[in-house]
Amino acid sequence: MINKPQKEKYISLAHGNGGRYMRELIERLFAHYLANPLLNTQNDSVLLTLDQREIAFTTDGFTVNPLEFPGGTIGSLAIHGTVNDLAVAGATPKYLSLNAFIEEGMSFEQLERIVKSMAEAASEAGVSIVTGDTKVVPRGEGAGVFFATSGIGILDKDHSLSMEKIKAGDQILVSGTLGDHGTAVMLAREQFGLKGDLKSDAASVFPLTQAILKIEGLRFMRDPTRGGLASVCHEISRATQKEVHLFQENIPIHEQVDSVCEILGYDPLYLACEGRVVAIVSAEQSEEVLKLWQSIASGANACIIGEIREGGIREAQANVVLETELGGERYLEELEDDPLPRIC
Amino acid sequence: MINKPQKEKYISLAHGNGGRYMRELIERLFAHYLANPLLNTQNDSVLLTLDQREIAFTTDGFTVNPLEFPGGTIGSLAIHGTVNDLAVAGATPKYLSLNAFIEEGMSFEQLERIVKSMAEAASEAGVSIVTGDTKVVPRGEGAGVFFATSGIGILDKDHSLSMEKIKAGDQILVSGTLGDHGTAVMLAREQFGLKGDLKSDAASVFPLTQAILKIEGLRFMRDPTRGGLASVCHEISRATQKEVHLFQENIPIHEQVDSVCEILGYDPLYLACEGRVVAIVSAEQSEEVLKLWQSIASGANACIIGEIREGGIREAQANVVLETELGGERYLEELEDDPLPRIC
């Protein structure tokens, strides 16, 4: 038996059983920090009247290790990740659901910091957590806390985006430096004996997507998370049956990300970002999108990094070509083994 | 390094990295079994046009151990749990999102059985899984698989339910026997050395809720999951500041549940159900609801088990009274310590 004082410091199985301890955990922590007019922890569901019937719906799971890292926590990440999936679909993120899988023995203090950072992220992104659920798993059957968030966003009816709209000649833009999140999390693990002051780029991309949504030549947006830019390019090439051609010298990469990747043998083009947008835009309007992004703080380092080209699919595979700084060309292969589990 | 043949038998970290293995896992397993016109695994979100703007939105996490038990799996449970939260809110369940947190080393074969049972449950309940996400966590940081599902349901505009509508004199009904799920899972664990042929009651309750939704005297519904009937009664008493009075002799409990609970020292009133509904109905219409339920297979054992009474709250606590078969009365206390982790 765990005695009372400990129960106030650490999560126990009783905090997940549907009884008094669970109620108190939810009231004191989740309901307290995430409070909003729609969140009623006495109900298992929430009744919503949406602004319209056209919505985007998405979900994401979060397992990042460590739970806290420079530039964010698993809590803020759980907000940004789902907000960003809605934003790149051309929607205005509105309502989120939250699941927490907490490991027995986790400290309240850390969980409180994480829920607090989650509340801040939600407030910044203009979204409300309106329904939730908490489970506690026995020690050794989890890892601190995992979150899952689902989100509902209101769609801009005048503008639909899809990979099907992509044409040869379209330009590829990225809103900022690549691989900051993956590298910052790696450094925070300390298992590599490296140090640095690099911060994760984790943030809402809604200001970036909102700024360019009215541009007619905007075809498609995606946030390069797991698998990084290279994986987004593979998806595009596979779906469009076209070549994705990247110019290495134009791709913005933080100096520190480059050095860490060189030391550890990673390629920053495969590392996760959590606050960047890749946009495919008509050649005519690509400069306009670039200027709009560069006028926003989070888009200051935006660049045009490549273009869509006609071109036979190589042996039924995706066709992603990197034109190197020295003028050579190499295929960027699809990611296979995972060098970095629990990065998001 | 894990070699190829093993990668086809067991989940590896590479199945969660955003690259080829993850794509193949999703295509071969999740997209294959859960296929529906709206599910497009190439998109991070789905665009929906709802039938109306009034919806119910809910979420639930699932960690049951063992992952497969008589009457269901963690997969079917993940569908029923969220479907049921929507159904008891008076909504028609429609769209679900799915998160999977898979532990490295889990066998494909078992995961396939689980996803298959999930697909069957979704089809039976008439819901579509329209968006999803998969994470793989290193061995020892999970337990096979955890799921989180969120759901959107279309609300019956003509009928709103809430605890605020509950009045003294209202009757308390339950749609079937209590504690079957909790007891079946307990027996499946084999840690107690007990055997039995009891099945979990896990199922969609939508047929039950739909059957009685038009009854004007219907005040409120809830599915008694974690914490069981006793915890639902506590919530009602706390919210209404009224006494919840239960008649022990009327409460339907499977003989085997009773015996197992007696041996192990559990109270079936605190054990989880996953396919039952507790309804609060005006005295005038309680018999009508009872008959409607009893005319449905899943409501065959429905009973009127108690009533709402005026009555001072005992020291600011919830007031749940059990009138025993011998005519005595005892308070049902709020659940404190957790005898049964990972029951749902």
Side-chain angles (χ1 to χ4, degrees):
Chain A
M1 286 291 288
I2 294 163
N3 61 29
K4 286 275 163 91
Q6 272 200 304
K7 239 171 200 155
E8 281 155 30
K9 280 190 199 160
Y10 302 100
I11 296 289
S12 69
L13 291 173
H15 287 106
N17 70 352
R20 180 165 76 85
Y21 287 106
M22 189 174 97
R23 181 168 56 82
E24 287 176 359
L25 168 70
I26 291 171
E27 281 170 6
R28 286 186 197 165
L29 209 61
F30 292 99
H32 176 70
Y33 286 108
L34 304 174
N36 65 72
L38 289 164
L39 182 65
N40 180 346
T41 56
Q42 274 177 10
N43 294 333
D44 285 343
S45 61
V46 60
L47 309 186
L48 300 172
T49 300
L50 305 173
D51 295 338
Q52 55 175 56
R53 298 187 299 121
E54 293 79 13
I55 64 164
F57 184 36
T58 191
T59 198
D60 229 332
F62 301 89
T63 63
V64 68
N65 166 29
L67 301 172
E68 300 171 275
F69 49 84
T73 74
I74 192 170
S76 57
L77 203 60
I79 302 298
H80 294 138
T82 288
V83 160
N84 292 351
D85 280 350
L86 295 171
V88 296
T92 302
K94 295 282 279 184
Y95 305 112
L96 263 53
S97 69
L98 171 67
N99 273 277
F101 297 91
I102 313 172
E103 187 188 11
E104 179 188 18
M106 185 178 190
S107 84
F108 266 103
E109 216 180 303
Q110 186 179 30
L111 189 58
E112 186 168 18
R113 284 197 305 271
I114 288 169
V115 174
K116 232 168 139 173
S117 79
M118 176 178 276
E120 285 162 11
S123 154
E124 274 168 36
V127 295
S128 304
I129 291 162
V130 293
T131 186
D133 187 51
T134 306
K135 291 285 184 293
V136 178
V137 297
R139 207 181 294 263
E141 299 183 3
V145 65
F146 301 143
F147 289 117
T149 49
S150 292
I152 294 176
I154 299 301
L155 268 182
D156 187 320
K157 276 182 283 192
D158 300 330
H159 207 97
S160 80
L161 304 173
S162 97
M163 282 201 253
E164 285 164 26
K165 295 191 157 190
I166 297 174
K167 294 187 180 75
D170 286 353
Q171 302 292 294
I172 305 164
L173 287 88
V174 67
S175 66
T177 53
L178 294 174
D180 297 17
H181 174 73
T183 309
V185 168
M186 222 168 8
L187 290 176
R189 281 190 199 163
E190 295 175 351
Q191 71 193 74
F192 304 106
L194 294 172
K195 282 188 182 170
D197 54 7
L198 192 77
K199 272 194 181 176
S200 163
D201 53 278
S204 162
V205 301
F206 183 57
L208 291 163
T209 60
Q210 198 183 23
I212 65 170
L213 201 58
K214 299 289 177 201
I215 302 284
E216 226 175 284
L218 176 67
R219 320 282 197 205
F220 176 75
M221 295 188 284
R222 177 64 58 90
D223 52 332
T225 57
R226 260 185 302 180
L229 174 70
S231 297
V232 172
C233 292
H234 269 271
E235 286 177 57
I236 293 172
S237 175
R238 226 177 7 254
T240 60
Q241 299 281 297
K242 291 185 170 52
E243 180 186 311
V244 175
H245 198 91
L246 300 172
F247 304 106
Q248 188 168 33
E249 62 181 349
N250 295 356
I251 301 175
I253 294 174
H254 199 286
E255 206 178 324
Q256 214 179 338
V257 170
D258 238 355
S259 331
V260 170
C261 282
E262 210 163 298
I263 293 169
L264 299 176
Y266 294 129
D267 184 339
L269 301 185
Y270 292 85
L271 290 186
C273 308
E274 291 290 345
R276 306 295 183 220
V277 183
V278 174
I280 314 294
V281 185
S282 68
E284 297 73 33
Q285 294 194 283
S286 59
E287 285 292 338
E288 197 178 335
V289 165
L290 185 66
K291 274 180 199 137
L292 283 168
W293 272 0
Q294 287 175 340
S295 71
I296 301 173
S298 60
N301 296 316
C303 293
I304 297 177
I305 60 167
E307 64 186 24
I308 306 296
R309 293 183 178 176
E310 291 296 356
I313 286 296
R314 180 176 55 124
E315 295 161 21
Q317 289 177 42
N319 217 1
V320 182
V321 175
L322 182 72
E323 197 173 310
T324 65
E325 284 169 28
L326 301 171
E329 287 192 354
R330 69 178 175 91
Y331 285 115
L332 287 183
E333 301 295 341
E334 189 173 10
L335 186 61
E336 294 231 335
D337 270 310
D338 193 0
L340 286 174
R342 297 188 63 197
I343 212 75
C344 59
Chain B
M1 286 289 289
I2 294 163
N3 61 30
K4 287 274 162 92
Q6 274 202 303
K7 238 171 201 156
E8 281 155 29
K9 282 191 199 157
Y10 302 101
I11 297 289
S12 68
L13 291 174
H15 288 105
N17 71 354
R20 180 164 77 84
Y21 287 105
M22 189 174 100
R23 180 167 57 83
E24 288 175 1
L25 169 71
I26 291 172
E27 282 170 6
R28 286 187 196 165
L29 210 64
F30 291 99
H32 176 70
Y33 287 108
L34 304 174
N36 67 70
L38 288 163
L39 182 63
N40 179 347
T41 56
Q42 276 177 9
N43 295 333
D44 285 344
S45 62
V46 60
L47 309 186
L48 301 171
T49 301
L50 305 172
D51 295 338
Q52 53 174 56
R53 297 188 298 123
E54 292 77 14
I55 63 165
F57 184 38
T58 189
T59 199
D60 228 333
F62 302 88
T63 63
V64 66
N65 167 28
L67 301 173
E68 300 171 275
F69 49 84
T73 73
I74 192 169
S76 57
L77 203 61
I79 302 297
H80 295 137
T82 289
V83 160
N84 292 351
D85 280 350
L86 294 171
V88 296
T92 301
K94 295 283 277 185
Y95 306 112
L96 262 54
S97 69
L98 171 66
N99 274 279
F101 296 91
I102 313 172
E103 188 188 9
E104 179 188 17
M106 182 176 194
S107 85
F108 266 103
E109 217 179 301
Q110 186 177 30
L111 189 58
E112 187 168 17
R113 285 197 304 273
I114 289 170
V115 174
K116 233 166 137 172
S117 79
M118 176 178 276
E120 285 160 13
S123 154
E124 275 168 36
V127 294
S128 305
I129 291 161
V130 292
T131 186
D133 187 51
T134 306
K135 291 284 186 294
V136 177
V137 297
R139 207 183 292 266
E141 299 184 2
V145 63
F146 302 143
F147 289 118
T149 49
S150 293
I152 294 176
I154 299 300
L155 269 181
D156 188 319
K157 276 182 285 193
D158 300 329
H159 207 98
S160 80
L161 305 172
S162 97
M163 282 201 256
E164 284 164 25
K165 294 189 155 189
I166 297 173
K167 295 187 178 74
D170 286 351
Q171 301 292 294
I172 304 164
L173 287 88
V174 69
S175 66
T177 52
L178 294 174
D180 297 18
H181 174 73
T183 309
V185 168
M186 219 164 16
L187 290 176
R189 283 192 199 162
E190 295 175 348
Q191 72 194 73
F192 304 108
L194 294 173
K195 281 185 184 173
D197 53 7
L198 191 78
K199 272 192 180 177
S200 162
D201 54 277
S204 163
V205 301
F206 183 56
L208 291 162
T209 59
Q210 199 182 22
I212 66 170
L213 202 58
K214 300 289 177 200
I215 302 284
E216 227 176 288
L218 176 66
R219 319 281 198 207
F220 175 75
M221 295 188 284
R222 176 64 56 93
D223 51 333
T225 57
R226 259 184 302 182
L229 173 70
S231 296
V232 172
C233 293
H234 268 270
E235 285 176 57
I236 293 171
S237 175
R238 223 176 11 251
T240 61
Q241 299 281 300
K242 291 185 168 49
E243 180 186 310
V244 174
H245 198 91
L246 299 172
F247 305 106
Q248 188 168 33
E249 62 181 350
N250 295 355
I251 300 175
I253 293 174
H254 198 287
E255 207 178 321
Q256 215 179 338
V257 170
D258 238 356
S259 329
V260 170
C261 282
E262 208 162 302
I263 293 168
L264 299 177
Y266 294 130
D267 184 338
L269 301 184
Y270 292 86
L271 291 187
C273 306
E274 291 290 345
R276 305 296 183 220
V277 183
V278 173
I280 312 295
V281 186
S282 69
E284 296 74 31
Q285 295 194 283
S286 58
E287 286 291 338
E288 197 178 337
V289 166
L290 185 66
K291 275 180 200 137
L292 283 168
W293 272 0
Q294 287 175 340
S295 71
I296 302 175
S298 60
N301 296 315
C303 292
I304 297 176
I305 60 167
E307 64 187 25
I308 306 294
R309 292 184 179 178
E310 291 295 357
I313 287 296
R314 177 177 56 125
E315 293 162 23
Q317 287 176 45
N319 217 1
V320 182
V321 175
L322 182 73
E323 198 172 309
T324 65
E325 285 168 26
L326 301 172
E329 287 191 357
R330 68 177 174 92
Y331 284 114
L332 288 183
E333 300 296 339
E334 189 173 11
L335 186 59
E336 295 231 335
D337 270 309
D338 192 2
L340 285 175
R342 296 189 60 198
I343 211 77
C344 60

